[in-house]
Amino acid sequence: MATVELQNLSKIYEGGVKAVDNANISVQDKEFLVLVGPSGCGKTTTLRCIAGLEEITDGELTIDGKRMNDVAPKDRDIAMVFQNYALYPHMSVYENMAFGLKIRKYPRSEIETRVRDAAQILDIEELLERKPKALSGGQRQRVAVGRAIVRKPKVFLFDEPLSNLDAKLRVQMRAELASLHTRLQATMVYVTHDQVEAMTMGDRIVVMRDGVIQQIGTPLALYNTPVNRFVAGFIGSPPMNIMKVNLKESSGGLVVDDDGLQIDVAAVHQDRLRSHVGRDVLLGIRPEDLTYAEETRGGAIKASVDVVEPLGAETHVYLTVGSNTLIAKVAPDVDVRVGTEISLRPNMDRVHYFDVETEASLTQAAAATV
Ligand SMILES: Nc1ncnc2c1ncn2[C@@H]1O[C@H](COP(=O)(O)OP(=O)(O)OP(=O)(O)O)[C@@H](O)[C@H]1O
Ligand SMILES: [Mg+2]
Protein backbone atom coordinates (compact mmCIF):
# COMPACT_ATOMS: atom_id res chain seq x y z
CA MET A 1 0.00 0.00 0.00
CA ALA A 2 1.50 3.34 -1.03
CA THR A 3 -0.33 6.58 -1.60
CA VAL A 4 1.40 9.91 -2.15
CA GLU A 5 -0.34 13.16 -1.37
CA LEU A 6 0.78 16.68 -2.24
CA GLN A 7 -1.28 19.34 -0.47
CA ASN A 8 -0.81 22.97 -1.47
CA LEU A 9 2.81 22.14 -2.14
CA SER A 10 5.05 24.96 -3.34
CA LYS A 11 8.76 25.13 -4.07
CA ILE A 12 10.52 28.47 -4.36
CA TYR A 13 14.22 28.24 -5.20
CA GLU A 14 16.80 30.63 -3.81
CA GLY A 15 16.61 33.63 -6.06
CA GLY A 16 12.83 33.51 -6.08
CA VAL A 17 11.88 31.11 -8.90
CA LYS A 18 8.53 29.54 -8.00
CA ALA A 19 9.08 26.19 -9.65
CA VAL A 20 5.98 24.53 -8.15
CA ASP A 21 2.99 26.66 -7.29
CA ASN A 22 0.44 25.29 -4.84
CA ALA A 23 0.25 21.75 -6.22
CA ASN A 24 -2.48 19.36 -5.12
CA ILE A 25 -2.02 15.79 -6.31
CA SER A 26 -3.32 12.53 -4.85
CA VAL A 27 -1.40 9.56 -6.21
CA GLN A 28 -3.41 6.43 -5.54
CA ASP A 29 -2.06 3.07 -4.47
CA LYS A 30 -0.59 1.16 -7.46
CA GLU A 31 -1.30 4.07 -9.76
CA PHE A 32 0.92 5.02 -12.71
CA LEU A 33 0.72 8.81 -12.61
CA VAL A 34 2.43 10.88 -15.31
CA LEU A 35 3.56 14.49 -14.88
CA VAL A 36 3.77 16.18 -18.26
CA GLY A 37 4.46 19.69 -19.50
CA PRO A 38 6.97 21.78 -21.42
CA SER A 39 10.58 22.33 -20.36
CA GLY A 40 10.91 24.31 -17.14
CA CYS A 41 7.31 23.78 -15.97
CA GLY A 42 8.40 22.19 -12.67
CA LYS A 43 8.17 18.43 -13.30
CA THR A 44 11.61 17.49 -11.99
CA THR A 45 11.24 19.83 -9.04
CA THR A 46 7.94 18.15 -8.08
CA LEU A 47 9.59 14.74 -8.25
CA ARG A 48 12.62 15.90 -6.23
CA CYS A 49 10.30 17.28 -3.56
CA ILE A 50 8.62 13.87 -3.30
CA ALA A 51 12.02 12.14 -3.13
CA GLY A 52 13.30 14.55 -0.50
CA LEU A 53 16.08 15.93 -2.69
CA GLU A 54 14.58 19.43 -2.45
CA GLU A 55 13.26 21.13 0.62
CA ILE A 56 9.54 21.89 0.38
CA THR A 57 8.92 25.63 0.77
CA ASP A 58 5.25 25.42 1.63
CA GLY A 59 2.51 22.80 1.95
CA GLU A 60 2.48 19.13 2.89
CA LEU A 61 3.81 15.91 1.46
CA THR A 62 2.45 12.68 2.87
CA ILE A 63 3.16 9.06 1.97
CA ASP A 64 0.61 6.56 3.24
CA GLY A 65 -0.81 9.33 5.36
CA LYS A 66 2.47 10.12 7.13
CA ARG A 67 3.96 13.60 6.84
CA MET A 68 7.25 13.42 4.95
CA ASN A 69 8.37 17.06 4.72
CA ASP A 70 11.18 16.60 7.23
CA VAL A 71 11.96 12.92 6.66
CA ALA A 72 15.39 12.20 5.12
CA PRO A 73 15.35 10.87 1.53
CA LYS A 74 16.77 7.49 2.57
CA ASP A 75 13.92 7.00 5.04
CA ARG A 76 11.13 7.71 2.56
CA ASP A 77 11.18 4.24 0.96
CA ILE A 78 11.29 5.71 -2.53
CA ALA A 79 13.50 4.85 -5.51
CA MET A 80 14.19 7.34 -8.28
CA VAL A 81 15.35 6.58 -11.83
CA PHE A 82 17.07 9.50 -13.54
CA GLN A 83 17.30 10.51 -17.18
CA ASN A 84 21.08 9.98 -17.31
CA TYR A 85 20.89 6.59 -15.49
CA ALA A 86 23.75 7.63 -13.15
CA LEU A 87 25.39 4.17 -13.22
CA TYR A 88 28.81 3.72 -11.59
CA PRO A 89 31.20 3.18 -14.53
CA HIS A 90 33.77 1.14 -12.60
CA MET A 91 31.20 -1.34 -11.24
CA SER A 92 29.68 -4.30 -13.04
CA VAL A 93 25.95 -4.43 -13.70
CA TYR A 94 25.61 -6.78 -10.72
CA GLU A 95 27.51 -4.40 -8.43
CA ASN A 96 25.55 -1.42 -9.68
CA MET A 97 22.29 -3.13 -8.83
CA ALA A 98 23.57 -4.47 -5.50
CA PHE A 99 25.15 -1.21 -4.33
CA GLY A 100 22.07 0.38 -2.75
CA LEU A 101 21.36 -2.79 -0.77
CA LYS A 102 24.99 -3.17 0.31
CA ILE A 103 25.16 0.28 1.87
CA ARG A 104 21.90 -0.50 3.63
CA LYS A 105 23.67 -3.58 5.06
CA TYR A 106 21.44 -6.25 3.56
CA PRO A 107 22.77 -9.84 3.97
CA ARG A 108 24.74 -11.10 0.98
CA SER A 109 22.27 -13.89 0.16
CA GLU A 110 19.32 -11.50 0.19
CA ILE A 111 21.18 -9.14 -2.15
CA GLU A 112 22.01 -12.00 -4.50
CA THR A 113 18.36 -13.15 -4.63
CA ARG A 114 17.02 -9.67 -5.25
CA VAL A 115 19.54 -8.81 -7.98
CA ARG A 116 18.95 -12.12 -9.78
CA ASP A 117 15.17 -11.69 -9.56
CA ALA A 118 15.33 -8.15 -10.93
CA ALA A 119 17.72 -9.21 -13.68
CA GLN A 120 15.28 -11.91 -14.70
CA ILE A 121 12.33 -9.52 -14.77
CA LEU A 122 14.32 -7.10 -16.94
CA ASP A 123 15.91 -9.79 -19.10
CA ILE A 124 19.49 -8.72 -18.35
CA GLU A 125 20.74 -11.91 -16.66
CA GLU A 126 23.43 -12.35 -19.29
CA LEU A 127 24.79 -8.86 -18.67
CA LEU A 128 25.45 -9.01 -14.93
CA GLU A 129 29.25 -9.21 -15.23
CA ARG A 130 29.58 -6.40 -17.79
CA LYS A 131 30.55 -2.80 -17.10
CA PRO A 132 28.11 -0.03 -18.16
CA LYS A 133 30.32 1.11 -21.03
CA ALA A 134 29.83 -2.29 -22.68
CA LEU A 135 26.05 -1.87 -22.75
CA SER A 136 23.64 -0.29 -25.23
CA GLY A 137 21.47 2.65 -24.18
CA GLY A 138 18.44 0.43 -23.68
CA GLN A 139 20.43 -2.05 -21.58
CA ARG A 140 21.79 0.75 -19.39
CA GLN A 141 18.26 1.95 -18.94
CA ARG A 142 17.21 -1.50 -17.74
CA VAL A 143 20.07 -1.59 -15.25
CA ALA A 144 19.01 1.80 -13.87
CA VAL A 145 15.47 0.47 -13.46
CA GLY A 146 16.88 -2.75 -11.93
CA ARG A 147 18.72 -0.74 -9.32
CA ALA A 148 15.37 0.74 -8.28
CA ILE A 149 13.51 -2.60 -8.35
CA VAL A 150 15.92 -4.42 -6.00
CA ARG A 151 15.11 -1.92 -3.28
CA LYS A 152 11.41 -2.94 -3.39
CA PRO A 153 10.43 0.63 -2.61
CA LYS A 154 6.94 1.83 -1.80
CA VAL A 155 7.07 4.35 -4.61
CA PHE A 156 9.03 4.55 -7.88
CA LEU A 157 9.87 7.96 -9.34
CA PHE A 158 11.01 8.23 -12.96
CA ASP A 159 12.43 11.43 -14.45
CA GLU A 160 12.34 11.23 -18.27
CA PRO A 161 13.98 7.79 -18.22
CA LEU A 162 13.57 7.20 -21.95
CA SER A 163 14.68 10.50 -23.42
CA ASN A 164 18.23 9.33 -24.22
CA LEU A 165 16.99 6.44 -26.34
CA ASP A 166 16.31 6.43 -30.06
CA ALA A 167 12.70 6.53 -31.22
CA LYS A 168 12.27 2.79 -31.78
CA LEU A 169 13.82 1.78 -28.48
CA ARG A 170 11.72 4.36 -26.71
CA VAL A 171 8.54 2.73 -27.96
CA GLN A 172 9.81 -0.68 -26.84
CA MET A 173 10.90 0.52 -23.37
CA ARG A 174 7.60 2.34 -23.00
CA ALA A 175 5.77 -0.96 -23.33
CA GLU A 176 8.27 -2.70 -21.04
CA LEU A 177 7.85 -0.13 -18.28
CA ALA A 178 4.08 -0.36 -18.57
CA SER A 179 4.19 -4.14 -18.19
CA LEU A 180 6.70 -3.81 -15.35
CA HIS A 181 4.20 -1.62 -13.57
CA THR A 182 1.51 -4.25 -13.97
CA ARG A 183 3.88 -6.92 -12.71
CA LEU A 184 5.23 -5.05 -9.68
CA GLN A 185 1.87 -3.57 -8.72
CA ALA A 186 3.73 -0.53 -7.40
CA THR A 187 2.88 3.15 -7.18
CA MET A 188 4.80 5.06 -9.86
CA VAL A 189 5.19 8.73 -10.68
CA TYR A 190 6.65 9.29 -14.13
CA VAL A 191 7.86 12.58 -15.60
CA THR A 192 8.01 13.28 -19.32
CA HIS A 193 7.59 16.19 -21.71
CA ASP A 194 6.32 13.80 -24.39
CA GLN A 195 2.54 13.78 -24.57
CA VAL A 196 2.52 10.45 -26.43
CA GLU A 197 4.40 8.80 -23.55
CA ALA A 198 1.98 10.41 -21.12
CA MET A 199 -1.09 9.25 -23.04
CA THR A 200 0.11 5.69 -23.58
CA MET A 201 1.53 5.00 -20.12
CA GLY A 202 -0.47 6.97 -17.59
CA ASP A 203 -3.46 5.80 -15.59
CA ARG A 204 -3.85 9.52 -15.02
CA ILE A 205 -1.94 12.52 -16.28
CA VAL A 206 -1.08 15.79 -14.55
CA VAL A 207 -0.51 18.63 -17.02
CA MET A 208 1.72 21.40 -15.67
CA ARG A 209 2.61 24.84 -16.98
CA ASP A 210 4.88 27.40 -15.29
CA GLY A 211 4.71 25.51 -12.00
CA VAL A 212 0.91 25.44 -12.00
CA ILE A 213 -1.18 22.29 -12.47
CA GLN A 214 -3.59 22.85 -15.35
CA GLN A 215 -5.60 19.64 -15.24
CA ILE A 216 -5.47 16.12 -13.81
CA GLY A 217 -7.32 13.28 -15.50
CA THR A 218 -7.26 10.05 -17.46
CA PRO A 219 -5.70 10.26 -20.93
CA LEU A 220 -9.11 10.21 -22.60
CA ALA A 221 -10.57 12.78 -20.22
CA LEU A 222 -7.76 15.20 -21.10
CA TYR A 223 -8.19 14.50 -24.80
CA ASN A 224 -11.98 14.80 -24.81
CA THR A 225 -12.53 17.50 -22.20
CA PRO A 226 -9.51 19.80 -21.92
CA VAL A 227 -10.26 22.62 -19.48
CA ASN A 228 -8.25 25.25 -21.32
CA ARG A 229 -6.44 26.04 -24.52
CA PHE A 230 -3.07 24.97 -23.13
CA VAL A 231 -4.19 21.42 -22.28
CA ALA A 232 -6.11 21.23 -25.56
CA GLY A 233 -2.98 22.13 -27.51
CA PHE A 234 -0.63 19.95 -25.48
CA ILE A 235 -2.56 16.67 -25.62
CA GLY A 236 -3.08 15.21 -29.10
CA SER A 237 -0.88 15.10 -32.18
CA PRO A 238 -0.81 16.97 -34.48
CA PRO A 239 -2.08 19.60 -32.04
CA MET A 240 -5.60 20.98 -32.01
CA ASN A 241 -6.25 23.77 -34.52
CA ILE A 242 -7.28 27.04 -32.89
CA MET A 243 -9.12 29.74 -34.87
CA LYS A 244 -10.44 33.05 -33.64
CA VAL A 245 -14.04 33.32 -34.83
CA ASN A 246 -17.05 35.49 -34.12
CA LEU A 247 -20.14 34.02 -32.52
CA LYS A 248 -23.40 35.19 -34.12
CA GLU A 249 -27.08 34.54 -33.63
CA SER A 250 -28.99 33.46 -36.73
CA SER A 251 -32.52 32.23 -37.27
CA GLY A 252 -31.51 28.63 -36.68
CA GLY A 253 -29.42 29.31 -33.55
CA LEU A 254 -25.76 30.23 -33.04
CA VAL A 255 -23.20 30.19 -35.82
CA VAL A 256 -19.44 30.71 -35.89
CA ASP A 257 -18.39 33.28 -38.42
CA ASP A 258 -15.02 34.13 -39.94
CA ASP A 259 -13.89 35.51 -43.34
CA GLY A 260 -16.46 33.81 -45.55
CA LEU A 261 -16.87 30.88 -43.19
CA GLN A 262 -20.21 30.26 -41.51
CA ILE A 263 -20.94 27.06 -39.61
CA ASP A 264 -23.80 26.16 -37.25
CA VAL A 265 -22.84 25.61 -33.63
CA ALA A 266 -23.85 22.10 -32.52
CA ALA A 267 -26.95 21.80 -30.36
CA VAL A 268 -24.90 20.49 -27.41
CA HIS A 269 -22.89 23.72 -27.26
CA GLN A 270 -25.62 26.30 -27.86
CA ASP A 271 -26.66 26.98 -24.26
CA ARG A 272 -23.17 27.40 -22.84
CA LEU A 273 -22.14 29.80 -25.63
CA ARG A 274 -25.20 32.03 -25.61
CA SER A 275 -23.60 34.58 -23.27
CA HIS A 276 -20.79 35.08 -25.83
CA VAL A 277 -22.99 36.03 -28.80
CA GLY A 278 -21.51 38.99 -30.66
CA ARG A 279 -18.04 38.32 -29.28
CA ASP A 280 -14.92 36.61 -30.51
CA VAL A 281 -14.17 33.12 -29.19
CA LEU A 282 -11.43 30.60 -29.91
CA LEU A 283 -12.70 27.62 -31.86
CA GLY A 284 -10.63 24.45 -31.36
CA ILE A 285 -10.84 21.65 -33.94
CA ARG A 286 -8.65 18.56 -33.77
CA PRO A 287 -7.06 17.53 -37.09
CA GLU A 288 -8.89 14.20 -36.85
CA ASP A 289 -12.25 15.98 -36.53
CA LEU A 290 -11.94 17.58 -39.99
CA THR A 291 -13.32 15.42 -42.78
CA TYR A 292 -12.55 15.91 -46.44
CA ALA A 293 -15.79 16.98 -48.17
CA GLU A 294 -16.46 16.59 -51.87
CA GLU A 295 -18.81 19.54 -52.12
CA THR A 296 -18.44 23.00 -50.57
CA ARG A 297 -22.05 23.65 -49.63
CA GLY A 298 -23.12 24.40 -46.02
CA GLY A 299 -21.04 23.64 -42.96
CA ALA A 300 -17.73 23.18 -44.74
CA ILE A 301 -14.48 25.11 -44.45
CA LYS A 302 -12.84 26.16 -47.71
CA ALA A 303 -9.06 26.00 -47.40
CA SER A 304 -6.04 26.22 -49.65
CA VAL A 305 -3.49 23.43 -49.44
CA ASP A 306 0.07 24.47 -48.43
CA VAL A 307 1.79 21.17 -47.61
CA VAL A 308 0.82 17.50 -47.95
CA GLU A 309 2.52 14.90 -45.72
CA PRO A 310 1.64 11.31 -46.61
CA LEU A 311 2.45 9.08 -43.61
CA GLY A 312 1.09 5.82 -45.01
CA ALA A 313 -1.82 5.12 -42.68
CA GLU A 314 -3.01 8.72 -42.92
CA THR A 315 -2.09 11.98 -44.60
CA HIS A 316 -1.54 15.31 -42.83
CA VAL A 317 -2.57 18.36 -44.81
CA TYR A 318 -1.45 21.88 -43.85
CA LEU A 319 -3.94 24.50 -44.96
CA THR A 320 -4.70 28.22 -44.92
CA VAL A 321 -8.17 29.54 -44.15
CA GLY A 322 -8.36 33.35 -44.18
CA SER A 323 -5.77 34.44 -41.64
CA ASN A 324 -5.62 31.02 -39.93
CA THR A 325 -3.51 27.95 -40.63
CA LEU A 326 -4.97 24.50 -40.02
CA ILE A 327 -3.82 20.92 -40.05
CA ALA A 328 -6.19 18.16 -41.18
CA LYS A 329 -5.80 14.38 -41.05
CA VAL A 330 -7.27 12.77 -44.14
CA ALA A 331 -7.43 9.21 -45.46
CA PRO A 332 -4.35 8.19 -47.44
CA ASP A 333 -6.30 7.63 -50.65
CA VAL A 334 -7.73 11.18 -50.79
CA ASP A 335 -6.14 13.04 -53.69
CA VAL A 336 -5.00 16.36 -52.23
CA ARG A 337 -2.61 18.60 -54.17
CA VAL A 338 -0.56 21.57 -53.05
CA GLY A 339 -1.91 24.87 -54.36
CA THR A 340 -5.49 23.65 -54.79
CA GLU A 341 -8.52 24.52 -52.70
CA ILE A 342 -10.38 21.84 -50.78
CA SER A 343 -13.37 21.67 -48.46
CA LEU A 344 -13.34 20.25 -44.97
CA ARG A 345 -16.28 19.50 -42.76
CA PRO A 346 -15.63 19.85 -39.02
CA ASN A 347 -17.40 17.50 -36.65
CA MET A 348 -19.08 20.33 -34.75
CA ASP A 349 -20.21 18.05 -31.90
CA ARG A 350 -16.54 17.47 -31.06
CA VAL A 351 -15.08 20.97 -31.38
CA HIS A 352 -14.03 23.09 -28.40
CA TYR A 353 -14.59 26.73 -27.54
CA PHE A 354 -12.26 28.85 -25.39
CA ASP A 355 -12.46 32.34 -23.96
CA VAL A 356 -10.21 34.73 -25.89
CA GLU A 357 -8.90 36.39 -22.70
CA THR A 358 -8.65 33.61 -20.09
CA GLU A 359 -8.29 30.74 -22.60
CA ALA A 360 -10.53 28.65 -20.32
CA SER A 361 -12.93 26.25 -22.00
CA LEU A 362 -16.42 27.67 -22.47
CA THR A 363 -18.02 24.30 -23.15
CA GLN A 364 -16.47 21.86 -20.65
CA ALA A 365 -18.22 21.69 -17.31
CA ALA A 366 -14.90 20.67 -15.75
CA ALA A 367 -13.50 24.10 -16.63
CA ALA A 368 -14.57 25.28 -13.21
CA THR A 369 -12.19 22.88 -11.48
CA VAL A 370 -8.81 24.04 -12.84
N1 LIG B 1 18.43 24.52 -8.34
C1 LIG B 1 17.67 25.49 -8.91
N2 LIG B 1 17.79 26.79 -8.56
C2 LIG B 1 17.01 27.73 -9.10
N3 LIG B 1 16.07 27.52 -10.04
C3 LIG B 1 15.90 26.24 -10.44
C4 LIG B 1 16.69 25.16 -9.91
N4 LIG B 1 16.28 24.01 -10.50
C5 LIG B 1 15.31 24.35 -11.37
N5 LIG B 1 15.06 25.69 -11.34
C6 LIG B 1 14.03 26.42 -12.10
O1 LIG B 1 12.76 25.93 -11.70
C7 LIG B 1 11.89 25.80 -12.83
C8 LIG B 1 11.42 24.37 -12.96
O2 LIG B 1 12.51 23.54 -13.26
P1 LIG B 1 12.38 21.96 -13.42
O3 LIG B 1 13.74 21.40 -13.57
O4 LIG B 1 11.53 21.43 -12.34
O5 LIG B 1 11.57 21.88 -14.80
P2 LIG B 1 11.20 20.60 -15.69
O6 LIG B 1 9.72 20.67 -15.91
O7 LIG B 1 11.74 19.36 -15.10
O8 LIG B 1 11.90 20.94 -17.08
P3 LIG B 1 12.68 19.96 -18.13
O9 LIG B 1 11.58 19.36 -18.99
O10 LIG B 1 13.51 20.91 -18.91
O11 LIG B 1 13.46 18.95 -17.36
C9 LIG B 1 12.69 26.31 -14.03
O12 LIG B 1 12.36 27.66 -14.23
C10 LIG B 1 14.13 26.16 -13.57
O13 LIG B 1 14.95 27.11 -14.21
MG1 LIG C 1 13.19 17.97 -15.72
Side-chain angles (χ1 to χ4, degrees):
M1 178 63 191
T3 59
V4 180
E5 192 106 18
L6 282 64
Q7 287 170 351
N8 307 114
L9 189 146
S10 293
K11 171 67 190 178
I12 303 172
Y13 283 111
E14 264 174 59
V17 179
K18 199 168 201 177
V20 182
D21 189 355
N22 205 26
N24 286 288
I25 306 175
S26 263
V27 192
Q28 284 148 33
D29 186 37
K30 302 187 179 61
E31 186 172 28
F32 196 114
L33 185 90
V34 178
L35 299 181
V36 73
S39 185
C41 73
K43 305 179 295 291
T44 296
T45 304
T46 305
L47 218 53
R48 290 175 61 85
C49 285
I50 298 173
L53 303 173
E54 297 291 348
E55 201 178 316
I56 293 165
T57 311
D58 218 342
E60 302 272 316
L61 170 75
T62 56
I63 297 177
D64 280 346
K66 291 197 200 76
R67 190 172 187 273
M68 285 289 139
N69 292 48
D70 306 313
V71 174
K74 67 176 174 42
D75 299 326
R76 291 191 187 191
D77 205 357
I78 277 176
M80 187 154 167
V81 178
F82 299 92
Q83 176 179 348
N84 59 7
Y85 319 146
L87 300 178
Y88 300 109
H90 58 287
M91 291 185 194
S92 69
V93 166
Y94 184 96
E95 289 161 342
N96 261 287
M97 285 167 69
F99 186 72
L101 301 178
K102 241 185 208 165
I103 56 170
R104 285 177 179 78
K105 306 245 181 321
Y106 277 72
R108 183 186 279 263
S109 60
E110 174 71 15
I111 294 178
E112 166 106 24
T113 308
R114 288 198 186 194
V115 171
R116 302 241 169 243
D117 284 353
Q120 192 193 357
I121 289 172
L122 296 164
D123 201 16
I124 50 172
E125 291 158 291
E126 277 80 61
L127 308 175
L128 287 173
E129 301 314 317
R130 289 206 203 160
K131 296 274 169 60
K133 69 172 184 317
L135 301 175
S136 71
Q139 290 167 335
R140 275 180 218 164
Q141 182 54 56
R142 285 197 194 101
V143 177
V145 173
R147 211 167 41 174
I149 292 179
V150 294
R151 301 247 321 272
K152 299 190 181 169
K154 269 191 179 159
V155 182
F156 286 85
L157 305 178
F158 295 94
D159 192 359
E160 311 233 15
L162 307 186
S163 52
N164 286 345
L165 306 178
D166 66 46
K168 198 168 160 208
L169 199 49
R170 222 162 37 223
V171 173
Q172 186 192 335
M173 286 300 295
R174 200 160 82 195
E176 284 183 19
L177 282 180
S179 81
L180 184 70
H181 172 248
T182 312
R183 196 159 165 181
L184 296 178
Q185 293 279 303
T187 306
M188 298 187 171
V189 183
Y190 186 100
V191 161
T192 179
H193 61 265
D194 177 353
Q195 64 92 21
V196 177
E197 248 175 51
M199 292 292 279
T200 52
M201 297 176 83
D203 291 322
R204 285 188 307 153
I205 300 173
V206 179
V207 181
M208 292 182 75
R209 178 194 199 183
D210 296 338
V212 180
I213 294 175
Q214 304 290 302
Q215 189 170 5
I216 304 180
T218 62
L220 284 185
L222 296 192
Y223 176 85
N224 288 320
T225 55
V227 296
N228 61 31
R229 179 191 180 158
F230 180 79
V231 176
F234 199 79
I235 300 290
S237 173
M240 186 186 284
N241 298 296
I242 306 281
M243 300 166 72
K244 198 192 234 184
V245 295
N246 198 261
L247 213 51
K248 291 209 168 92
E249 178 105 54
S250 81
S251 53
L254 304 187
V255 294
V256 295
D257 186 275
D258 181 54
D259 284 343
L261 159 92
Q262 247 206 12
I263 309 175
D264 293 341
V265 171
V268 288
H269 296 140
Q270 296 257 348
D271 283 349
R272 285 179 185 276
L273 292 177
R274 204 157 294 279
S275 59
H276 281 67
V277 169
R279 288 159 60 180
D280 282 345
V281 295
L282 300 174
L283 171 66
I285 313 173
R286 294 201 183 275
E288 50 273 37
D289 292 329
L290 281 168
T291 313
Y292 180 75
E294 292 292 342
E295 85 290 6
T296 54
R297 284 176 294 111
I301 298 174
K302 243 185 169 173
S304 57
V305 179
D306 300 326
V307 177
V308 178
E309 286 183 349
L311 298 175
E314 64 196 29
T315 297
H316 295 175
V317 186
Y318 293 71
L319 307 132
T320 304
V321 184
S323 56
N324 294 291
T325 54
L326 296 185
I327 305 175
K329 266 187 204 177
V330 301
D333 55 347
V334 174
D335 184 21
V336 182
R337 305 240 168 106
V338 172
T340 60
E341 199 158 76
I342 64 167
S343 293
L344 294 160
R345 201 176 294 285
N347 181 347
M348 292 302 281
D349 284 334
R350 294 193 53 82
V351 302
H352 298 261
Y353 297 87
F354 305 99
D355 189 283
V356 172
E357 303 294 324
T358 66
E359 302 197 338
S361 173
L362 299 170
T363 39
Q364 301 308 335
T369 65
V370 180

